């Protein structure tokens, strides 16, 4: 491991024997699971995604007691979200501490590239877990096509940048959300669509996930800015959702030009 900008960066040498690399990848699952937030189920799941760059991105399941169950973010989705926020453009493998559910298998097909699932010391292709995946043609874009490390001067600019990096090949919606916590930390999330629609993640879910993976889940949200356009907006629901988990947050919505 090495440190970059105060944050721990996990880097593996992917030129070595695959079995050894995958064993090292799986060794991070306990650490990943420690970031889980499970007020409803009490069931912690860790995931570790290995990028083509050799970097490892940790994810854990996120539950929100005040929100509907379908706002839960699974560990696999969290790890992919972390990889996307880190600028990774391709994943090689995903180690998990529990078998991926059908919902996650469908979400992972949006990577549109071979992916090994590492579970209990065994690596199997994602295609074996979901041999007859539902798929819609989306013009060649994949979940990591717009992966980028977002930087902006303020919440407005960050929300707009996040919206521009949405993965929405099915509805064309652009939706981004920027959060500022009470301590001043800032997080941005984007819409991530699934061809099956339901496994999609809203910009709020991805922003909250990145906040939790950064160890800031208990740092209250002070402000939120949404920027979006398209037929599947989050803005109409955002005040009600944030009122449950961040009742003191100041919320604004910015229009985007088509």
């Amino acid at each position: 491991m090495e440190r970059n900008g105060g944050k721990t960066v996990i880097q593996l040498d992917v030129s070595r024997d695959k079995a050894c690399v995958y064993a090292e990848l799986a060794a991070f699952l306990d650490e990943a699971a420690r970031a889980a937030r499970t007020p409803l189920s009490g069931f912690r799941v860790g995931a570790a995604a290995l990028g083509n760059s050799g970097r490892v991105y940790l994810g854990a399941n996120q539950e929100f007691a005040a929100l509907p169950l379908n706002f839960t973010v699974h560990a696999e989705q969290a790890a992919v979200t972390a990889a996307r926020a880190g600028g990774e453009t391709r994943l090689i493998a995903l180690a998990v501490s529990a078998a991926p559910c059908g919902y996650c298998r469908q979400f992972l097909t949006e990577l549109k590239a071979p992916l090994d699932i590492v579970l209990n010391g065994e690596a199997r292709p994602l295609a074996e877990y979901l041999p007859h995946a539902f798929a819609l043609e989306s013009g060649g874009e994949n979940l990591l096509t717009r992966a980028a490390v977002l930087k902006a001067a303020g919440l407005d600019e960050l929300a707009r940048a996040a919206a521009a990096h949405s993965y929405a090949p099915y509805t064309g919606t652009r939706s981004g959300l920027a959060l500022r916590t009470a301590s001043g930390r800032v997080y941005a999330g984007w819409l991530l669509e699934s061809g099956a629609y339901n496994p999609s993640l809203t910009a709020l879910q991805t922003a909250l996930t990145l906040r939790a993976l950064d160890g800031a889940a208990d740092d209250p949200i002070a402000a939120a800015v949404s920027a979006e356009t398209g037929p599947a907006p989050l803005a109409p629901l955002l005040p009600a959702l944030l009122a449950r988990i961040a009742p003191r947050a100041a919320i604004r919505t910015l229009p985007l030009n088509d």
Side-chain angles (χ1 to χ4, degrees):
M1 291 188 291
E2 58 189 46
R3 292 198 170 270
N4 181 8
K7 294 186 178 181
T8 300
V9 175
I10 306 170
Q11 184 81 37
L12 301 183
D13 181 0
V14 295
S15 68
R16 296 172 301 135
D17 176 72
K18 183 183 290 188
C20 293
V21 174
Y22 287 179
E24 288 188 9
L25 181 67
F28 291 102
L29 291 176
D30 286 345
E31 178 182 344
R34 285 198 286 272
R37 305 280 292 186
T38 60
L40 301 172
S41 70
F43 184 67
R44 292 173 173 263
V45 180
L50 177 62
N52 194 52
S53 66
R55 287 188 61 178
V56 175
Y57 305 88
L58 304 184
N61 54 322
Q62 306 295 317
E63 299 172 358
F64 308 99
L67 299 183
L69 282 177
N70 63 336
F71 264 78
T72 298
V73 177
H74 295 208
E76 296 89 337
Q77 293 176 306
V80 172
T81 297
R84 200 174 194 271
E88 195 69 50
T89 57
R90 183 188 169 196
L91 296 182
I92 299 172
L94 183 69
V96 288
S97 59
C101 68
Y103 182 96
C104 287
R105 299 176 197 192
Q106 183 66 49
F107 181 82
L108 292 171
T109 64
E110 296 298 330
L111 293 169
K112 299 177 184 176
L115 179 73
D116 286 338
I117 303 296
V118 182
L119 176 65
N120 296 329
E122 180 183 10
R124 296 168 57 192
L126 174 63
E128 289 189 15
Y129 280 89
L130 192 62
H132 303 291
F134 175 78
L136 290 175
E137 178 56 44
S138 63
E141 187 178 8
N142 67 65
L143 195 57
L144 297 181
T145 297
R146 298 173 187 266
V149 180
L150 299 182
K151 296 181 180 179
L155 290 187
D156 289 13
E157 293 82 0
L158 191 58
R160 289 191 176 102
H165 284 79
S166 294
Y167 172 68
Y170 307 109
T171 70
T173 300
R174 288 181 289 147
S175 178
L177 185 74
L179 304 175
R180 179 183 293 118
T181 68
S183 71
R185 287 187 275 192
V186 174
Y187 302 94
W190 358 250
L191 170 64
L192 300 181
E193 288 188 347
S194 162
Y197 279 25
N198 292 93
S200 301
L201 292 178
T202 66
L204 176 60
Q205 286 169 293
T206 52
L208 291 176
T209 296
L210 293 171
R211 168 175 163 255
L213 295 179
D214 195 38
D218 294 322
D219 191 355
I221 297 169
V225 175
S226 171
E228 60 184 10
T229 185
L234 172 66
L237 299 175
L238 189 59
L241 293 171
L242 282 180
R244 301 297 301 274
I245 60 175
R248 297 183 180 180
I251 307 168
R252 289 187 298 110
T253 297
L254 305 174
L256 286 177
N257 296 324
D258 291 328

